[in-house]
PDB file of all heavy atoms in Angstrom:
ATOM      1  N   VAL A 168    -152.699  47.471-145.486  1.00 86.00           N
ATOM      2  CA  VAL A 168    -152.314  46.271-144.727  1.00 86.00           C
ATOM      3  C   VAL A 168    -151.335  46.647-143.616  1.00 86.00           C
ATOM      4  O   VAL A 168    -150.977  47.731-143.528  1.00 86.00           O
ATOM      5  CB  VAL A 168    -151.530  45.269-145.686  1.00 86.00           C
ATOM      6  CG1 VAL A 168    -152.477  44.842-146.806  1.00 86.00           C
ATOM      7  CG2 VAL A 168    -150.347  45.897-146.267  1.00 86.00           C
ATOM      8  N   ILE A 169    -151.129  45.683-142.726  1.00 80.00           N
ATOM      9  CA  ILE A 169    -150.030  45.777-141.754  1.00 80.00           C
ATOM     10  C   ILE A 169    -148.769  45.373-142.419  1.00 80.00           C
ATOM     11  O   ILE A 169    -148.800  44.687-143.439  1.00 80.00           O
ATOM     12  CB  ILE A 169    -150.385  45.026-140.460  1.00 80.00           C
ATOM     13  CG1 ILE A 169    -149.486  45.449-139.278  1.00 80.00           C
ATOM     14  CG2 ILE A 169    -150.108  43.513-140.786  1.00 80.00           C
ATOM     15  CD1 ILE A 169    -149.925  46.807-138.752  1.00 80.00           C
ATOM     16  N   SER A 170    -147.660  45.778-141.856  1.00 69.00           N
ATOM     17  CA  SER A 170    -146.336  45.533-142.579  1.00 69.00           C
ATOM     18  C   SER A 170    -146.110  44.007-142.840  1.00 69.00           C
ATOM     19  O   SER A 170    -146.336  43.134-141.927  1.00 69.00           O
ATOM     20  CB  SER A 170    -145.213  45.919-141.646  1.00 69.00           C
ATOM     21  OG  SER A 170    -143.952  45.724-142.318  1.00 69.00           O
ATOM     22  N   THR A 171    -145.822  43.725-144.048  1.00 63.00           N
ATOM     23  CA  THR A 171    -145.688  42.363-144.540  1.00 63.00           C
ATOM     24  C   THR A 171    -144.596  42.275-145.563  1.00 63.00           C
ATOM     25  O   THR A 171    -144.470  43.103-146.391  1.00 63.00           O
ATOM     26  CB  THR A 171    -146.935  41.727-144.975  1.00 63.00           C
ATOM     27  OG1 THR A 171    -146.700  40.470-145.434  1.00 63.00           O
ATOM     28  CG2 THR A 171    -147.545  42.550-146.180  1.00 63.00           C
ATOM     29  N   ALA A 172    -143.903  41.110-145.591  1.00 59.00           N
ATOM     30  CA  ALA A 172    -142.888  40.892-146.579  1.00 59.00           C
ATOM     31  C   ALA A 172    -143.422  40.271-147.912  1.00 59.00           C
ATOM     32  O   ALA A 172    -142.739  40.115-148.892  1.00 59.00           O
ATOM     33  CB  ALA A 172    -141.749  40.044-146.096  1.00 59.00           C
ATOM     34  N   ASP A 173    -144.661  39.723-147.853  1.00 64.00           N
ATOM     35  CA  ASP A 173    -145.262  39.204-149.063  1.00 64.00           C
ATOM     36  C   ASP A 173    -146.641  39.824-149.249  1.00 64.00           C
ATOM     37  O   ASP A 173    -147.111  40.718-148.515  1.00 64.00           O
ATOM     38  CB  ASP A 173    -145.205  37.668-149.054  1.00 64.00           C
ATOM     39  CG  ASP A 173    -145.988  37.149-147.845  1.00 64.00           C
ATOM     40  OD1 ASP A 173    -146.966  37.797-147.381  1.00 64.00           O
ATOM     41  OD2 ASP A 173    -145.602  36.039-147.427  1.00 64.00           O
ATOM     42  N   ASP A 174    -147.502  39.162-150.090  1.00 74.00           N
ATOM     43  CA  ASP A 174    -148.792  39.827-150.276  1.00 74.00           C
ATOM     44  C   ASP A 174    -149.936  38.983-149.670  1.00 74.00           C
ATOM     45  O   ASP A 174    -151.079  39.127-150.013  1.00 74.00           O
ATOM     46  CB  ASP A 174    -148.976  39.872-151.787  1.00 74.00           C
ATOM     47  CG  ASP A 174    -149.130  38.523-152.550  1.00 74.00           C
ATOM     48  OD1 ASP A 174    -148.818  37.476-151.865  1.00 74.00           O
ATOM     49  OD2 ASP A 174    -149.570  38.482-153.604  1.00 74.00           O
ATOM     50  N   LYS A 175    -149.626  38.216-148.578  1.00 78.00           N
ATOM     51  CA  LYS A 175    -150.639  37.556-147.845  1.00 78.00           C
ATOM     52  C   LYS A 175    -151.738  38.568-147.273  1.00 78.00           C
ATOM     53  O   LYS A 175    -152.935  38.248-147.365  1.00 78.00           O
ATOM     54  CB  LYS A 175    -150.084  36.697-146.700  1.00 78.00           C
ATOM     55  CG  LYS A 175    -149.302  35.455-147.170  1.00 78.00           C
ATOM     56  CD  LYS A 175    -148.788  34.665-146.052  1.00 78.00           C
ATOM     57  CE  LYS A 175    -148.000  33.487-146.428  1.00 78.00           C
ATOM     58  NZ  LYS A 175    -147.509  32.765-145.233  1.00 78.00           N
ATOM     59  N   ALA A 176    -151.255  39.610-146.719  1.00 79.00           N
ATOM     60  CA  ALA A 176    -152.171  40.579-146.183  1.00 79.00           C
ATOM     61  C   ALA A 176    -153.023  41.230-147.221  1.00 79.00           C
ATOM     62  O   ALA A 176    -154.143  41.500-146.956  1.00 79.00           O
ATOM     63  CB  ALA A 176    -151.369  41.634-145.357  1.00 79.00           C
ATOM     64  N   TYR A 177    -152.410  41.572-148.301  1.00 82.00           N
ATOM     65  CA  TYR A 177    -153.179  42.234-149.413  1.00 82.00           C
ATOM     66  C   TYR A 177    -154.249  41.286-149.907  1.00 82.00           C
ATOM     67  O   TYR A 177    -155.423  41.635-150.110  1.00 82.00           O
ATOM     68  CB  TYR A 177    -152.313  42.599-150.617  1.00 82.00           C
ATOM     69  CG  TYR A 177    -151.420  43.757-150.397  1.00 82.00           C
ATOM     70  CD1 TYR A 177    -150.049  43.629-150.002  1.00 82.00           C
ATOM     71  CD2 TYR A 177    -151.905  45.075-150.562  1.00 82.00           C
ATOM     72  CE1 TYR A 177    -149.250  44.751-149.803  1.00 82.00           C
ATOM     73  CE2 TYR A 177    -151.061  46.159-150.326  1.00 82.00           C
ATOM     74  CZ  TYR A 177    -149.786  46.030-149.932  1.00 82.00           C
ATOM     75  OH  TYR A 177    -149.004  47.011-149.692  1.00 82.00           O
ATOM     76  N   ASP A 178    -153.889  40.044-150.020  1.00 81.00           N
ATOM     77  CA  ASP A 178    -154.860  38.989-150.412  1.00 81.00           C
ATOM     78  C   ASP A 178    -155.927  38.861-149.369  1.00 81.00           C
ATOM     79  O   ASP A 178    -157.166  38.823-149.770  1.00 81.00           O
ATOM     80  CB  ASP A 178    -154.162  37.617-150.566  1.00 81.00           C
ATOM     81  CG  ASP A 178    -154.969  36.633-151.363  1.00 81.00           C
ATOM     82  OD1 ASP A 178    -155.222  36.900-152.458  1.00 81.00           O
ATOM     83  OD2 ASP A 178    -155.369  35.594-150.660  1.00 81.00           O
ATOM     84  N   ALA A 179    -155.690  38.911-148.146  1.00 80.00           N
ATOM     85  CA  ALA A 179    -156.699  38.739-147.054  1.00 80.00           C
ATOM     86  C   ALA A 179    -157.605  39.996-147.098  1.00 80.00           C
ATOM     87  O   ALA A 179    -158.840  39.904-146.976  1.00 80.00           O
ATOM     88  CB  ALA A 179    -156.061  38.674-145.745  1.00 80.00           C
ATOM     89  N   GLY A 180    -157.066  41.166-147.310  1.00 80.00           N
ATOM     90  CA  GLY A 180    -157.831  42.343-147.346  1.00 80.00           C
ATOM     91  C   GLY A 180    -158.750  42.422-148.620  1.00 80.00           C
ATOM     92  O   GLY A 180    -159.937  42.821-148.497  1.00 80.00           O
ATOM     93  N   LEU A 181    -158.232  42.064-149.707  1.00 84.00           N
ATOM     94  CA  LEU A 181    -159.091  42.057-150.963  1.00 84.00           C
ATOM     95  C   LEU A 181    -160.138  41.023-150.840  1.00 84.00           C
ATOM     96  O   LEU A 181    -161.291  41.318-151.444  1.00 84.00           O
ATOM     97  CB  LEU A 181    -158.207  41.955-152.142  1.00 84.00           C
ATOM     98  CG  LEU A 181    -157.337  43.186-152.513  1.00 84.00           C
ATOM     99  CD1 LEU A 181    -156.179  42.744-153.395  1.00 84.00           C
ATOM    100  CD2 LEU A 181    -158.084  44.277-153.007  1.00 84.00           C
ATOM    101  N   ARG A 182    -159.865  39.897-150.222  1.00 83.00           N
ATOM    102  CA  ARG A 182    -160.846  38.893-150.089  1.00 83.00           C
ATOM    103  C   ARG A 182    -161.994  39.365-149.024  1.00 83.00           C
ATOM    104  O   ARG A 182    -163.200  39.110-149.229  1.00 83.00           O
ATOM    105  CB  ARG A 182    -160.265  37.590-149.584  1.00 83.00           C
ATOM    106  CG  ARG A 182    -159.621  36.821-150.667  1.00 83.00           C
ATOM    107  CD  ARG A 182    -158.998  35.530-150.188  1.00 83.00           C
ATOM    108  NE  ARG A 182    -158.557  34.734-151.190  1.00 83.00           N
ATOM    109  CZ  ARG A 182    -159.271  33.747-151.819  1.00 83.00           C
ATOM    110  NH1 ARG A 182    -160.495  33.576-151.533  1.00 83.00           N
ATOM    111  NH2 ARG A 182    -158.722  33.024-152.777  1.00 83.00           N
ATOM    112  N   ALA A 183    -161.555  39.989-147.966  1.00 83.00           N
ATOM    113  CA  ALA A 183    -162.456  40.463-146.986  1.00 83.00           C
ATOM    114  C   ALA A 183    -163.503  41.418-147.504  1.00 83.00           C
ATOM    115  O   ALA A 183    -164.628  41.465-147.103  1.00 83.00           O
ATOM    116  CB  ALA A 183    -161.710  41.136-145.812  1.00 83.00           C
ATOM    117  N   ALA A 184    -163.093  42.230-148.565  1.00 88.00           N
ATOM    118  CA  ALA A 184    -164.029  43.216-149.067  1.00 88.00           C
ATOM    119  C   ALA A 184    -164.277  42.965-150.513  1.00 88.00           C
ATOM    120  O   ALA A 184    -164.451  44.006-151.262  1.00 88.00           O
ATOM    121  CB  ALA A 184    -163.434  44.598-148.857  1.00 88.00           C
ATOM    122  N   LYS A 185    -164.286  41.727-150.974  1.00 89.00           N
ATOM    123  CA  LYS A 185    -164.384  41.407-152.422  1.00 89.00           C
ATOM    124  C   LYS A 185    -165.620  42.016-153.042  1.00 89.00           C
ATOM    125  O   LYS A 185    -165.699  42.386-154.135  1.00 89.00           O
ATOM    126  CB  LYS A 185    -164.181  39.930-152.727  1.00 89.00           C
ATOM    127  CG  LYS A 185    -165.336  39.043-152.228  1.00 89.00           C
ATOM    128  CD  LYS A 185    -165.027  37.624-152.584  1.00 89.00           C
ATOM    129  CE  LYS A 185    -166.224  36.688-152.251  1.00 89.00           C
ATOM    130  NZ  LYS A 185    -166.066  35.330-152.719  1.00 89.00           N
ATOM    131  N   ASP A 186    -166.763  41.892-152.256  1.00 90.00           N
ATOM    132  CA  ASP A 186    -168.048  42.457-152.774  1.00 90.00           C
ATOM    133  C   ASP A 186    -168.088  43.857-152.950  1.00 90.00           C
ATOM    134  O   ASP A 186    -168.861  44.490-153.772  1.00 90.00           O
ATOM    135  CB  ASP A 186    -169.168  42.038-151.846  1.00 90.00           C
ATOM    136  CG  ASP A 186    -169.389  40.534-151.827  1.00 90.00           C
ATOM    137  OD1 ASP A 186    -169.181  39.881-152.840  1.00 90.00           O
ATOM    138  OD2 ASP A 186    -169.895  39.998-150.814  1.00 90.00           O
ATOM    139  N   LEU A 187    -167.292  44.560-152.223  1.00 95.00           N
ATOM    140  CA  LEU A 187    -167.088  46.045-152.287  1.00 95.00           C
ATOM    141  C   LEU A 187    -166.151  46.477-153.480  1.00 95.00           C
ATOM    142  O   LEU A 187    -166.537  47.209-154.305  1.00 95.00           O
ATOM    143  CB  LEU A 187    -166.555  46.687-150.945  1.00 95.00           C
ATOM    144  CG  LEU A 187    -166.349  48.204-150.957  1.00 95.00           C
ATOM    145  CD1 LEU A 187    -167.694  48.918-151.092  1.00 95.00           C
ATOM    146  CD2 LEU A 187    -165.662  48.535-149.647  1.00 95.00           C
ATOM    147  N   PHE A 188    -164.920  45.864-153.457  1.00 95.00           N
ATOM    148  CA  PHE A 188    -164.016  46.288-154.579  1.00 95.00           C
ATOM    149  C   PHE A 188    -164.272  45.701-155.857  1.00 95.00           C
ATOM    150  O   PHE A 188    -163.593  46.121-156.848  1.00 95.00           O
ATOM    151  CB  PHE A 188    -162.600  45.806-153.988  1.00 95.00           C
ATOM    152  CG  PHE A 188    -162.162  46.445-152.679  1.00 95.00           C
ATOM    153  CD1 PHE A 188    -161.283  45.729-151.821  1.00 95.00           C
ATOM    154  CD2 PHE A 188    -162.608  47.721-152.345  1.00 95.00           C
ATOM    155  CE1 PHE A 188    -160.948  46.339-150.577  1.00 95.00           C
ATOM    156  CE2 PHE A 188    -162.197  48.310-151.119  1.00 95.00           C
ATOM    157  CZ  PHE A 188    -161.389  47.577-150.273  1.00 95.00           C
ATOM    158  N   ALA A 189    -165.203  44.700-155.940  1.00 94.00           N
ATOM    159  CA  ALA A 189    -165.510  44.209-157.368  1.00 94.00           C
ATOM    160  C   ALA A 189    -166.525  45.125-158.036  1.00 94.00           C
ATOM    161  O   ALA A 189    -166.650  45.033-159.222  1.00 94.00           O
ATOM    162  CB  ALA A 189    -166.129  42.822-157.222  1.00 94.00           C
ATOM    163  N   SER A 190    -167.230  46.024-157.328  1.00 95.00           N
ATOM    164  CA  SER A 190    -168.228  46.791-157.910  1.00 95.00           C
ATOM    165  C   SER A 190    -167.953  48.360-157.624  1.00 95.00           C
ATOM    166  O   SER A 190    -168.762  49.200-158.211  1.00 95.00           O
ATOM    167  CB  SER A 190    -169.607  46.476-157.365  1.00 95.00           C
ATOM    168  OG  SER A 190    -169.645  46.500-155.954  1.00 95.00           O
ATOM    169  N   SER A 191    -166.962  48.726-156.867  1.00 97.00           N
ATOM    170  CA  SER A 191    -166.634  50.080-156.639  1.00 97.00           C
ATOM    171  C   SER A 191    -165.104  50.279-157.092  1.00 97.00           C
ATOM    172  O   SER A 191    -164.286  49.427-156.694  1.00 97.00           O
ATOM    173  CB  SER A 191    -166.811  50.488-155.232  1.00 97.00           C
ATOM    174  OG  SER A 191    -168.154  50.252-154.755  1.00 97.00           O
ATOM    175  N   ILE A 192    -164.778  51.396-157.735  1.00 97.00           N
ATOM    176  CA  ILE A 192    -163.342  51.429-158.113  1.00 97.00           C
ATOM    177  C   ILE A 192    -162.551  51.880-156.931  1.00 97.00           C
ATOM    178  O   ILE A 192    -162.758  52.922-156.276  1.00 97.00           O
ATOM    179  CB  ILE A 192    -163.336  52.599-159.193  1.00 97.00           C
ATOM    180  CG1 ILE A 192    -164.182  52.217-160.373  1.00 97.00           C
ATOM    181  CG2 ILE A 192    -161.902  52.923-159.640  1.00 97.00           C
ATOM    182  CD1 ILE A 192    -164.437  53.312-161.401  1.00 97.00           C
ATOM    183  N   LEU A 193    -161.568  51.069-156.575  1.00 97.00           N
ATOM    184  CA  LEU A 193    -160.706  51.197-155.445  1.00 97.00           C
ATOM    185  C   LEU A 193    -159.578  52.171-155.875  1.00 97.00           C
ATOM    186  O   LEU A 193    -158.845  52.088-156.742  1.00 97.00           O
ATOM    187  CB  LEU A 193    -160.142  49.906-155.055  1.00 97.00           C
ATOM    188  CG  LEU A 193    -159.051  49.825-153.877  1.00 97.00           C
ATOM    189  CD1 LEU A 193    -159.604  50.478-152.626  1.00 97.00           C
ATOM    190  CD2 LEU A 193    -158.455  48.449-153.670  1.00 97.00           C
ATOM    191  N   CYS A 194    -159.382  53.200-155.015  1.00 97.00           N
ATOM    192  CA  CYS A 194    -158.443  54.262-155.256  1.00 97.00           C
ATOM    193  C   CYS A 194    -157.526  54.476-153.977  1.00 97.00           C
ATOM    194  O   CYS A 194    -157.728  55.285-153.108  1.00 97.00           O
ATOM    195  CB  CYS A 194    -159.098  55.681-155.598  1.00 97.00           C
ATOM    196  SG  CYS A 194    -160.343  55.525-156.821  1.00 97.00           S
ATOM    197  N   PRO A 195    -156.445  53.579-153.897  1.00 95.00           N
ATOM    198  CA  PRO A 195    -155.679  53.488-152.579  1.00 95.00           C
ATOM    199  C   PRO A 195    -154.503  54.537-152.629  1.00 95.00           C
ATOM    200  O   PRO A 195    -154.020  54.810-153.746  1.00 95.00           O
ATOM    201  CB  PRO A 195    -155.242  52.120-152.647  1.00 95.00           C
ATOM    202  CG  PRO A 195    -155.050  51.671-154.045  1.00 95.00           C
ATOM    203  CD  PRO A 195    -156.162  52.369-154.737  1.00 95.00           C
ATOM    204  N   VAL A 196    -154.238  55.072-151.497  1.00 95.00           N
ATOM    205  CA  VAL A 196    -153.086  55.849-151.275  1.00 95.00           C
ATOM    206  C   VAL A 196    -152.025  54.929-150.450  1.00 95.00           C
ATOM    207  O   VAL A 196    -152.475  54.230-149.600  1.00 95.00           O
ATOM    208  CB  VAL A 196    -153.341  57.143-150.447  1.00 95.00           C
ATOM    209  CG1 VAL A 196    -152.074  57.721-149.949  1.00 95.00           C
ATOM    210  CG2 VAL A 196    -154.077  58.142-151.318  1.00 95.00           C
ATOM    211  N   ALA A 197    -150.771  55.017-150.812  1.00 92.00           N
ATOM    212  CA  ALA A 197    -149.795  54.140-150.119  1.00 92.00           C
ATOM    213  C   ALA A 197    -149.568  54.681-148.687  1.00 92.00           C
ATOM    214  O   ALA A 197    -149.402  55.866-148.513  1.00 92.00           O
ATOM    215  CB  ALA A 197    -148.414  54.103-150.873  1.00 92.00           C
TER     216      ALA A 197
END
Side-chain angles (χ1 to χ4, degrees):
V168 300
I169 198 68
S170 182
T171 177
D173 60 30
D174 66 348
K175 288 181 181 178
Y177 287 99
D178 194 63
L181 289 164
R182 282 177 172 273
K185 69 177 186 177
D186 292 333
L187 178 65
F188 299 147
S190 57
S191 304
I192 300 168
L193 174 61
C194 311
V196 167

